[in-house]
Amino acid sequence: MTRAFVFPGQGSQAVGMGVDLADAFATARDVFQEVDEALKQNLFKLMREGPESELVLTENAQPALMAVSMAVVRIIEKDGAKPLAGLASQVAGHSLGEYSALAAAGSLQLADAARLLKLRGQSMQKAVPVGVGAMAALLGIELEPAQEACAEAAQGEIVAVANDNGGGQVVVSGHKAAVERAIEAAKAKGAKRGMMLPVSAPFHCPLMQPAADAMQAALEAVALGTPRIPLVANVLASEITEPGNIRRRLVEQVTGLVRWRESVQYMKSQGVEMLVECGSGKVLSGLVKRIDKEMTGVALNAPADIETFLKTA
């Protein structure tokens, strides 16, 4: 079976994330310690104990999610003695998960990925004052009508599609009032419902340009190698391997549309039959069937999941 390994984005964090992996595997403990040392922060204590109000802060949630994803990958490679390159034809990640994917594929060092995501989280939070921006999920609508709703709702402000997640789920982002108008405009175009999301900043829209500028400077200062497995990039929905191109796409991704539905369809076109989600939660593996009924998704976030997967891989 041809597989792609995929890595979750923000929203999958929860207090207790990674704890069962750390309890079961020294490999996971080593990953969490390396991330703590890179950040000069006791992030794993926060992951283990909370408080949730601190863990959900973008600058903490992003490196924490990457750390759990990388713990899963390292357990598979080290304890399971199965190199990722022999298991997956491609890697992809949803938003911050793209950094996890690059670390898993050997393009980014773990410590660099942790520091970049900390900065990414801080920069995204600083880009727009709290309360000015917002995001909303539109359900029962596809990409094009959602884009039309955003165009109608802008009225001199910014609102854009941030994530095309597939299965009729589209997320919009921008100025709060414009996002609220977009919900109503989308309902007129057939959306079943729209709901504001509990996020601290309007990700993946032009309001994030200051964060994109910060990430461009940071990425230029970091060593980026050719990934051992091609990356399916969020903003392209196709695969790339050249480090300079990867850098550019990571910068574009801060303000750009996460083309997840098209990314999954691209992987299917390349022969991928199964998406293996590594890390916290089951969001991406749950979306698979809504995008393509012929594909399957499996989530690896607990020791038993990994052990079951290794028996069949």
Side-chain angles (χ1 to χ4, degrees):
M1 177 173 284
T2 305
R3 307 178 196 87
F5 273 51
V6 297
F7 299 86
Q10 208 160 327
S12 293
Q13 69 278 351
V15 173
M17 61 194 291
V19 170
D20 49 356
L21 297 175
D23 290 346
F25 296 100
T27 305
R29 295 194 292 276
D30 290 345
V31 168
F32 299 139
Q33 185 177 345
E34 191 177 338
V35 169
D36 279 359
E37 287 170 359
L39 298 179
K40 300 180 173 59
Q41 173 188 1
N42 198 337
L43 183 63
F44 185 58
K45 182 173 188 288
L46 178 61
M47 291 158 61
R48 184 187 282 274
E49 300 170 13
E52 186 181 18
S53 59
E54 207 172 315
L55 180 61
V56 299
L57 294 175
T58 305
E59 66 177 85
N60 293 324
Q62 294 201 21
L65 285 161
M66 185 277 300
V68 177
S69 289
M70 281 306 296
V72 171
V73 169
R74 293 263 176 98
I75 291 163
I76 290 168
E77 293 198 312
K78 191 172 176 184
D79 300 87
K82 289 188 183 283
L84 208 61
L87 296 172
S89 62
Q90 291 159 330
V91 292
H94 194 285
S95 189
L96 80 91
E98 204 153 72
Y99 288 78
S100 309
L102 288 165
S107 177
L108 262 179
Q109 295 299 310
L110 176 62
D112 287 334
R115 286 189 288 262
L116 284 167
L117 285 172
K118 183 84 175 173
L119 174 69
R120 186 176 182 268
Q122 290 169 335
S123 302
M124 286 175 143
Q125 193 60 68
K126 281 184 206 157
V128 180
V130 174
V132 171
M135 298 181 78
L138 307 178
L139 305 178
I141 194 168
E142 298 302 329
L143 176 61
E144 284 185 15
Q147 288 172 324
E148 290 167 9
C150 287
E152 289 171 17
Q155 297 177 23
E157 292 187 311
I158 285 172
V159 59
V161 175
N163 307 338
D164 177 16
N165 288 330
Q169 186 195 105
V170 175
V171 176
V172 298
S173 178
H175 287 112
K176 187 168 184 286
V179 169
E180 289 167 347
R181 290 192 295 269
I183 291 175
E184 296 311 311
K187 285 177 184 170
K189 294 182 184 299
K192 291 190 178 70
R193 56 194 278 244
M195 51 190 187
M196 301 297 275
L197 297 176
V199 295
S200 54
F203 307 131
H204 299 291
C205 80
L207 291 175
M208 287 287 112
Q209 190 57 48
D213 295 341
M215 291 314 297
Q216 181 165 356
L219 284 159
E220 282 169 3
V222 167
L224 203 63
T226 302
R228 290 189 290 270
I229 308 160
L231 172 77
V232 179
N234 283 183
V235 297
L236 298 177
S238 60
E239 65 181 55
I240 53 175
T241 55
E242 197 274 313
N245 196 8
I246 291 171
R247 266 196 191 86
R248 282 194 298 281
R249 305 312 175 181
L250 288 173
V251 173
E252 287 174 18
Q253 185 231 61
V254 178
T255 57
L257 168 62
V258 176
R259 296 168 62 183
W260 191 254
R261 173 184 57 87
E262 292 171 275
S263 295
V264 172
Q265 289 169 338
Y266 173 78
M267 290 185 267
K268 168 79 182 296
S269 77
Q270 301 301 298
V272 170
E273 299 159 87
M274 175 186 278
L275 296 191
V276 181
E277 181 175 10
C278 298
S280 188
K282 300 181 177 181
V283 172
L284 301 182
S285 47
L287 281 173
V288 175
K289 278 269 184 260
R290 291 167 60 180
I291 297 171
D292 191 305
K293 287 185 168 51
E294 291 179 0
M295 296 179 79
T296 56
V298 59
L300 307 183
N301 53 31
D305 302 331
I306 299 170
E307 283 159 16
T308 301
F309 174 76
L310 286 169
K311 283 175 190 163
T312 58

